[in-house]
């Protein structure tokens, strides 16, 4: 049976040497922020039990600093960050730090000081992660703060100066596997183990603790960590890895960060020169071809992209520099477990998807964060043109000469074209327009943009009931097209009091060849949440509800129809409810005949982030 997993290992001939090898005894320091993962799901307590079950009788000391949750499902105290020693037989409390937040760098420094000196120490951060700009962790007792990378570094510096670098630092958290984090942490650890993508709620599998006492060198230990993580994630999601959200966990040799950063800087200088000489649009096209981390898996706008996939997107323009980066990348990433063979396992920041977020302080934060000078200068140069450039919003009228739905672009918009998509809408009369589906099967020939629209939509089916469900396309990846669908999840207590009612995003993969739909997961929606690990088990809820709203068209000051994202929802909705103890499925099928006419609107993206909507184009007239 073919296993959809890529494990890359190097330096195996050196496994018995001192570089990265662990001695007779090892230590693992775990900085565990329980947050909502614990209070709502008991996930921290579950992992503590996993650790205790895997602890060997000797050869490994495990110290845990736990806090940051209002309610624990174990012996952990919710009152203050507390230090525990873990063994196979249980947990022993050693000390605590009342009045402190787990999001305070001083608490991390206190933990390291309390842990004291010991051989072959590794440090693991457990909780949410949002990448180098958003930071790590979410403390329910201090909800407005994050533990930022520079605060982690400030806590590590005195400890490492006194005792020496950690054998490895790991993040059982989302999105922390980046070039920026590697650059900041390389003075403080020999290796970094982290995910460039969103981790599922199950996170790491701690069976690897039994191997830590065996004296394995870090690359070989990482093989166990990555393999166990991959297998546990697949088991938790219960599906074909090709049809699942992205899975990735990698181990980086931080001693090889500098050569990679040097070659990335050289490539970035060439890219910066291209921007200066008028090639912004070409580089913007390259950037838009690379999916951002966390978009499908967590609905996040991170502007973090896989480094190899980014370099491959510009390789035709800068072949020598791109090849040099990829060679250094293959050396630094000593192991990677992923269900996408093109992923390198490490990401890099490249702003392109959210101007408002970038201008809210991300620009200044990145200048102070990134240790790669050449790449940082390129990001500044690219972002200046991205921010300053803007095309006038123009109404896009249908092209009557085309047999397919089509619009004609202005020469300026065609030159700055960065993609297009469409929505199929049904006229609900006085209830506005309902969305049937959206897709991106479009072709630009000169200035004529045509859409090859499959006249189908998705249906939620349970028993004899079926109801249309609006899928929002996120990205295409190999043989699958990935969608989100907004739903509500309901949990009913036995006495039917205090119902839990949560908005969620259901994740659906559609096989591009067979059109078969697979529900690969769901995550709870939280406005403004820029961290992952929000996946939920649908079967732990009682009901799933979906609704189809009517939307009123919106117009700009000149009377031009705005893109459908900006339309106004009505209060009225039609819906369906599914009991989650009964089987249900999603199915792509032809749009069922209804009373209202069918229309489509084409929306064009330009390289500066603008969206340009067309007039409504009649597809199927039901009321002649």
């Amino acid at each position: 049976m073919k296993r959809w997993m890529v494990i890359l290992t190097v330096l195996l001939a050196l496994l018995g040497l001192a570089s990265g090898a662990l001695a007779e005894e090892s230590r693992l320091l775990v900085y565990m922020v329980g947050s909502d993962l614990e209070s709502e799901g008991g996930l921290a307590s579950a992992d503590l039990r996993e650790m205790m079950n895997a602890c060997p009788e000797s050869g490994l000391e495990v110290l845990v600093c736990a806090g940051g949750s209002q309610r624990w499902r174990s012996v952990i105290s919710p009152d203050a960050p507390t230090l525990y020693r873990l063994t196979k037989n249980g947990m022993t409390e050693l000390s605590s730090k009342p009045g402190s937040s787990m999001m305070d760098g001083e608490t991390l420094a206190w933990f390291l000081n309390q842990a004291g000196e010991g051989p072959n120490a590794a440090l693991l951060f457990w909780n949410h992660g949002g990448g180098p700009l958003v930071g790590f962790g979410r403390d329910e007792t201090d909800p407005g703060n994050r533990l930022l990378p520079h605060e982690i570094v400030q806590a590590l510096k005195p400890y490492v100066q006194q005792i020496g670098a950690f054998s490895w630092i790991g993040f059982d958290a989302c999105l922390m596997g980046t070039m920026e984090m590697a650059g900041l942490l390389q003075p403080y650890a020999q290796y970094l183990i982290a995910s460039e993508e969103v981790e599922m709620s199950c996170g790491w599998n701690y069976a690897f603790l039994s191997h830590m006492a065996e004296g394995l060198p870090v690359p070989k230990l990482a093989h166990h960590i990555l393999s166990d993580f991959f297998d546990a994630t697949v088991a938790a999601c219960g599906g074909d890895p090709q049809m699942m959200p992205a899975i990735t966990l990698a181990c980086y040799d931080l001693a090889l960060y500098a050569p990679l950063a040097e070659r990335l800087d050289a490539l970035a200088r060439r890219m910066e020169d291209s921007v200066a000489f008028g090639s912004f649009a070409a580089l913007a096209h390259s950037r838009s071809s690379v999916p951002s981390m966390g978009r499908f898996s967590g609905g996040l706008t991170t502007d973090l992209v896989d480094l190899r996939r980014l370099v491959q997107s510009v390789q035709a323009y800068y072949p020598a520099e791109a090849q040099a980066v990829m060679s250094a990348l293959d050396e630094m990433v000593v192991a990677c477990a992923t269900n996408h063979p093109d992923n390198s396992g490490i990401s890099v920041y490249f702003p392109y998807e959210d101007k408002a977020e970038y201008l809210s302080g991300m620009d200044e934060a990145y200048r102070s964060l990134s240790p790669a000078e050449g790449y940082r200068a390129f990001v500044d140069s690219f972002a200046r043109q991205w921010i300053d450039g803007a095309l006038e919003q123009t109404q896009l009228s249908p092209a009557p000469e085309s047999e397919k739905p089509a619009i004609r672009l202005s020469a300026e918009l065609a030159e700055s074209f960065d993609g297009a998509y469409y929505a199929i809408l049904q006229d609900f009369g006085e209830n506005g327009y309902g969305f049937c589906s959206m897709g991106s099967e479009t072709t630009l020939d000169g200035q004529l943009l045509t859409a090859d629209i499959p006249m189908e939509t998705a249906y939620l089916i349970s028993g004899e009931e079926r109801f249309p469900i609006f899928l929002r396309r996120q990205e295409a990846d190999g043989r699958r097209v990935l969608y989100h669908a907004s739903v509500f999840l309901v949990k009913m207590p036995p006495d039917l009091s205090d119902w839990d009612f949560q908005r969620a995003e259901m994740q659906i993969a559609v096989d591009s060849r067979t059109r078969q739909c697979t529900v690969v997961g769901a995550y709870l929606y939280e406005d403004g949440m820029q961290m992952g690990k929000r996946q939920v088990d649908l079967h732990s809820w009682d009901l799933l509800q979906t609704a189809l709203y009517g939307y009123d068209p919106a117009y700009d000051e000149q009377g031009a129809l705005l893109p459908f994202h900006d339309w106004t929802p009505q209060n009225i909705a039609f819906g369906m409810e599914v009991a989650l103890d009964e089987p249900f499925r999603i199915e792509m099928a032809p749009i069922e005949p209804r009373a209202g006419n069918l229309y489509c609107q084409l929306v064009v993206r330009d390289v500066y982030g603008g969206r340009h909507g067309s007039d409504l184009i009649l597809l199927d007239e039901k009321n002649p």
Side-chain angles (χ1 to χ4, degrees):
M1 178 179 178
K2 188 171 184 180
R3 184 182 187 187
W4 289 99
M5 177 173 170
V6 178
I7 295 287
L8 308 173
T9 55
V10 298
L11 303 178
L12 293 181
L14 303 179
L15 290 180
L17 301 182
S19 59
L22 301 181
E24 183 176 343
E25 187 175 69
S26 302
R27 306 177 85 214
L28 178 62
L29 311 182
V30 182
Y31 196 71
M32 176 173 277
V33 188
S35 73
D36 58 315
L37 297 176
E38 173 62 18
S39 62
E40 296 180 11
L43 298 177
S45 292
D47 275 358
L48 288 170
R49 289 190 294 272
E50 219 174 69
M51 292 177 193
M52 288 184 282
N53 290 336
C55 270
E57 296 290 346
S58 62
L60 175 67
E61 180 181 37
V62 180
L63 299 175
V64 177
C65 178
S69 181
Q70 294 177 338
R71 182 170 70 97
W72 286 82
R73 305 188 186 189
S74 59
V75 299
I76 303 294
S77 168
D79 299 329
T82 305
L83 175 62
Y84 298 89
R85 175 176 286 109
L86 263 65
T87 68
K88 188 174 286 294
N89 299 319
M91 301 171 59
T92 304
E93 182 176 335
L94 302 179
S95 59
S96 65
K97 196 173 190 294
S100 299
S101 165
M102 294 290 284
M103 297 298 97
D104 189 338
E106 291 185 2
T107 304
L108 175 59
W110 168 83
F111 170 48
L112 297 176
N113 185 61
Q114 290 288 305
E117 186 174 352
N120 306 308
L123 174 62
L124 178 68
F125 292 88
W126 188 104
N127 193 222
H128 291 293
L133 291 169
V134 175
F136 162 81
R138 193 182 192 202
D139 187 327
E140 285 187 320
T141 68
D142 184 20
N145 287 330
R146 303 283 185 269
L147 192 58
L148 297 175
H150 76 271
E151 296 174 306
I152 294 175
V153 167
Q154 288 172 0
L156 293 177
K157 189 173 182 178
Y159 179 87
V160 170
Q161 284 177 340
Q162 180 180 356
I163 296 175
F166 288 98
S167 58
W168 57 272
I169 292 176
F171 285 91
D172 188 351
C174 303
L175 303 168
M176 303 304 287
T178 72
M179 279 291 291
E180 293 80 9
M181 290 304 300
L184 291 170
L185 295 177
Q186 55 93 14
Y188 308 106
Q190 299 171 41
Y191 294 86
L192 174 61
I193 303 175
S195 174
E196 67 175 349
E197 251 291 357
V198 168
E199 290 186 1
M200 302 298 104
S201 297
C202 57
W204 289 22
N205 181 337
Y206 288 91
F208 74 86
L209 294 190
S210 62
H211 297 288
M212 284 194 69
E214 298 175 3
L216 295 180
V218 177
K220 193 167 185 179
L221 177 66
H223 179 92
H224 291 287
I225 295 173
L226 274 53
S227 179
D228 290 345
F229 165 81
F230 187 93
D231 291 344
T233 303
V234 171
C237 292
D240 176 357
Q242 278 196 325
M243 301 299 286
M244 285 170 50
I247 309 169
T248 176
L249 189 66
C251 176
Y252 324 124
D253 184 345
L254 295 181
L256 298 175
Y257 166 82
L260 174 58
E262 181 180 344
R263 295 181 186 186
L264 179 59
D265 278 351
L267 171 62
R269 290 187 184 99
R270 291 288 312 279
M271 294 165 70
E272 185 181 8
D273 289 343
S274 296
V275 171
F277 287 100
S279 295
F280 171 82
L283 286 171
H285 291 150
S286 296
R287 167 62 180 87
S288 67
S289 70
V290 184
S292 292
M293 301 291 107
R295 179 170 178 174
F296 175 67
S297 300
L300 307 177
T301 302
T302 64
D303 275 329
L304 295 167
V305 294
D306 181 80
L307 181 56
R308 177 187 289 136
R309 296 174 79 171
L310 174 63
V311 172
Q312 287 174 336
S313 75
V314 300
Q315 189 171 13
Y317 306 121
Y318 323 102
E321 291 84 358
Q323 185 56 54
V325 171
M326 288 192 288
S327 296
L329 178 61
D330 288 341
E331 293 180 6
M332 178 182 157
V333 180
V334 299
C336 177
T338 180
N339 61 342
H340 196 301
D342 290 336
N343 281 351
S344 65
I346 191 167
S347 66
V348 69
Y349 182 64
F350 193 152
Y352 188 63
E353 294 185 344
D354 193 332
K355 281 189 179 183
E357 183 73 13
Y358 183 74
L359 291 173
S360 70
M362 291 296 188
D363 52 347
E364 290 296 333
Y366 192 68
R367 291 186 194 108
S368 65
L369 173 72
S370 173
E373 182 179 343
Y375 185 77
R376 186 172 66 243
F378 160 71
V379 167
D380 266 345
S381 179
F382 180 91
R384 277 195 300 273
Q385 290 209 32
W386 173 54
I387 296 298
D388 295 340
L391 299 184
E392 182 179 349
Q393 297 295 307
T394 56
Q395 183 68 60
L396 303 174
S397 300
E401 69 271 22
S402 174
E403 294 182 358
K404 296 180 178 180
I407 54 178
R408 186 165 292 279
L409 311 187
S410 67
E412 183 183 29
L413 184 55
E415 185 178 350
S416 300
F417 178 83
D418 193 44
Y421 50 99
Y422 60 81
I424 300 179
L425 310 107
Q426 186 148 38
D427 188 353
F428 285 174
E430 65 180 13
N431 295 323
Y433 291 83
F435 294 118
C436 295
S437 65
M438 67 178 292
S440 61
E441 296 89 350
T442 61
T443 302
L444 180 63
D445 183 6
Q447 293 174 232
L448 184 68
L449 179 73
T450 58
D452 186 14
I453 298 176
M455 296 295 288
E456 63 180 13
T457 190
Y459 291 89
L460 174 65
I461 300 173
S462 178
E464 298 299 317
E465 291 187 87
R466 58 191 289 120
F467 188 81
I469 183 169
F470 180 60
L471 303 186
R472 302 189 313 281
R473 186 182 187 276
Q474 301 301 304
E475 59 193 54
D477 191 0
R479 60 175 254 213
R480 62 186 181 176
V481 185
L482 308 174
Y483 296 88
H484 286 166
S486 294
V487 297
F488 290 97
L489 298 177
V490 182
K491 191 174 293 184
M492 301 180 297
D495 61 1
L496 300 183
S497 64
D498 193 24
W499 288 26
D500 190 2
F501 189 78
Q502 299 271 2
R503 177 181 166 185
E505 294 294 333
M506 193 158 59
Q507 300 160 305
I508 298 159
V510 179
D511 190 302
S512 56
R513 295 172 297 180
T514 66
R515 307 300 288 166
Q516 181 177 349
C517 302
T518 303
V519 177
V520 296
Y523 63 87
L524 295 181
Y525 175 85
E526 187 172 348
D527 191 27
M529 176 67 160
Q530 283 297 306
M531 295 185 167
K533 270 196 177 181
R534 289 176 291 152
Q535 276 69 23
V536 296
D537 179 3
L538 287 174
H539 296 290
S540 68
W541 296 77
D542 297 308
L543 301 174
L544 180 149
Q545 298 174 344
T546 183
L548 190 62
Y549 292 85
Y551 287 79
D552 291 328
Y555 301 86
D556 66 14
E557 294 178 354
Q558 287 73 43
L561 184 64
L562 293 174
F564 66 90
H565 307 88
D566 299 320
W567 292 13
T568 306
Q570 294 194 357
N571 292 327
I572 191 168
F574 314 93
M576 175 177 169
E577 184 174 84
V578 172
L580 288 173
D581 59 356
E582 298 290 336
F584 73 93
R585 70 184 189 277
I586 307 293
E587 182 179 281
M588 298 296 293
I591 299 173
E592 295 175 352
R594 300 191 196 93
N597 295 340
L598 289 177
Y599 297 88
C600 87
Q601 185 189 41
L602 283 159
V603 179
V604 176
R605 299 189 308 268
D606 66 48
V607 294
Y608 304 106
R611 301 289 189 272
H612 310 261
S614 76
D615 287 329
L616 294 184
I617 302 171
L618 182 64
L619 295 177
D620 186 17
E621 190 169 14
K622 297 296 182 184
N623 289 321

